[in-house]
Amino acid sequence: MKALTFCINGKMAHFRKYYSNSSVLSYLLPPVTTVKGILAGLLGMPRDSYYELFSNANCKMAILLDKPARKITQSLNLLLVEDTPQGLNGCAENRSPTSTELIIPENIRSSFLSYRIYFWHRDDTLMQKLYQSIFSQTGSYQSKGISLGLGSAYCLGWLSGCAFRELTEVPPSESFEPIYGAVLNHYIESITFPKMQDTTLSREETLTEFDQNRRPTLHSKKEIIVNAGPSPLSLKLKKGTVCYMDGNKKFMFLE
């Protein structure tokens, strides 16, 4: 199958967990719904108008970490923005620091976050439009009204490395094998850690699609396992699991 691949990059990210309350927690990886929103924005689609077009029945997505990432917690003094001069200039009363998780690269001075996305859609014309928006000889993407943010508006980012790739569908091995990126937990039979120093395991619940009322669908919630370090996970997958190869990297679509 032919898929569109590109990287979402930035110095800092915050993908708020939908169930977090007093402390603002963040996913390590951008949820599939977040990436779908970015793609819809690149195409100039209005908010809440693209959920059927980007449903799991029409498209597939895989998310890989190209560079190691880690979480930190910072106290942010958030503004209470009201329709008054005091609300807009930061002088409003009764503000308190909010503990917020941020995703940053392993070395924020010399590196940056990079999420490798593989995207497939039934409509080849739509993938061509996305390719034309992301790929540019000048090195910048052609937006139709969206500034790229990695979750929050203050976490600005950029796109790079856009190309079409021919993926090969492969069955799971009967032994342990390296799997890159986010893996659906219910497909994992067992896991081993040959290089403990390169493994920072994270288990998270992510959302993959919304219905027309912007509510998660029945099968939207997925539990994923991902390594925040530089190496892939060493997994034995259940029979019937479908994986894909791009070069020497094997990964899984989050469907």
Side-chain angles (χ1 to χ4, degrees):
M1 65 183 295
K2 183 175 71 172
L4 184 67
T5 180
F6 57 92
C7 285
I8 299 176
N9 311 300
K11 276 290 188 179
M12 182 173 64
H14 173 73
F15 308 109
R16 179 169 181 168
K17 293 184 176 179
Y18 67 93
Y19 53 80
S20 65
N21 191 359
S22 57
S23 60
V24 186
L25 305 178
S26 174
Y27 295 106
L28 180 68
L29 298 182
V32 173
T33 50
T34 299
V35 181
K36 288 179 178 179
I38 291 173
L39 297 180
L42 287 172
L43 295 173
M45 302 180 69
R47 181 177 178 176
D48 301 334
S49 67
Y50 57 87
Y51 298 138
E52 177 62 29
L53 181 64
F54 284 90
S55 66
N56 289 346
N58 290 325
C59 62
K60 299 179 181 180
M61 188 178 300
I63 304 176
L64 287 66
L65 265 172
D66 265 9
K67 297 177 181 290
R70 60 189 177 96
K71 291 183 179 182
I72 61 171
T73 301
Q74 295 287 319
S75 293
L76 302 183
N77 205 3
L78 303 179
L79 297 179
L80 178 62
V81 178
E82 297 176 337
D83 191 17
T84 62
Q86 291 78 16
L88 296 175
N89 64 15
C91 295
E93 297 180 353
N94 302 321
R95 292 185 293 137
S96 60
T98 301
S99 297
T100 304
E101 274 189 343
L102 299 173
I103 313 302
I104 62 171
E106 198 170 61
N107 189 327
I108 196 169
R109 294 184 181 274
S110 60
S111 186
F112 55 87
L113 298 171
S114 185
Y115 299 102
R116 169 66 60 179
I117 308 297
Y118 286 91
F119 178 75
W120 172 88
H121 200 281
R122 292 183 183 275
D123 187 353
D124 188 65
T125 303
L126 184 142
M127 288 204 297
Q128 290 289 343
K129 289 180 179 178
L130 285 172
Y131 175 76
Q132 293 170 5
S133 296
I134 300 173
F135 178 79
S136 173
Q137 297 291 346
T138 62
S140 60
Y141 63 90
Q142 305 300 311
S143 171
K144 292 187 178 180
I146 181 176
S147 296
L148 180 60
L150 276 67
S152 296
Y154 53 79
C155 299
L156 296 178
W158 67 94
L159 300 174
S160 66
C162 183
F164 280 108
R165 302 287 292 179
E166 195 65 37
L167 306 181
T168 305
E169 183 177 325
V170 291
S173 172
E174 296 183 358
S175 58
F176 288 96
E177 58 183 337
I179 306 293
Y180 288 83
V183 180
L184 294 173
N185 189 30
H186 64 272
Y187 285 126
I188 300 175
E189 183 173 302
S190 55
I191 182 170
T192 186
F193 303 98
K195 296 181 179 180
M196 291 296 293
Q197 69 274 15
D198 292 336
T199 304
T200 305
L201 201 63
S202 178
R203 183 176 68 179
E204 298 181 332
E205 185 181 86
T206 188
L207 300 178
T208 59
E209 67 176 356
F210 292 129
D211 62 18
Q212 295 302 311
N213 297 316
R214 205 172 185 273
R215 296 175 179 173
T217 63
L218 181 62
H219 302 290
S220 174
K221 295 180 182 179
K222 307 289 186 181
E223 189 175 76
I224 63 171
I225 303 294
V226 65
N227 181 20
S231 59
L233 293 172
S234 181
L235 304 175
K236 183 185 292 185
L237 300 175
K238 296 178 180 179
K239 292 182 178 180
T241 304
V242 178
C243 293
Y244 292 85
M245 291 287 293
D246 179 21
N248 61 347
K249 285 190 175 182
K250 182 181 287 189
F251 57 89
M252 179 185 298
F253 281 109
L254 304 179
E255 55 182 340

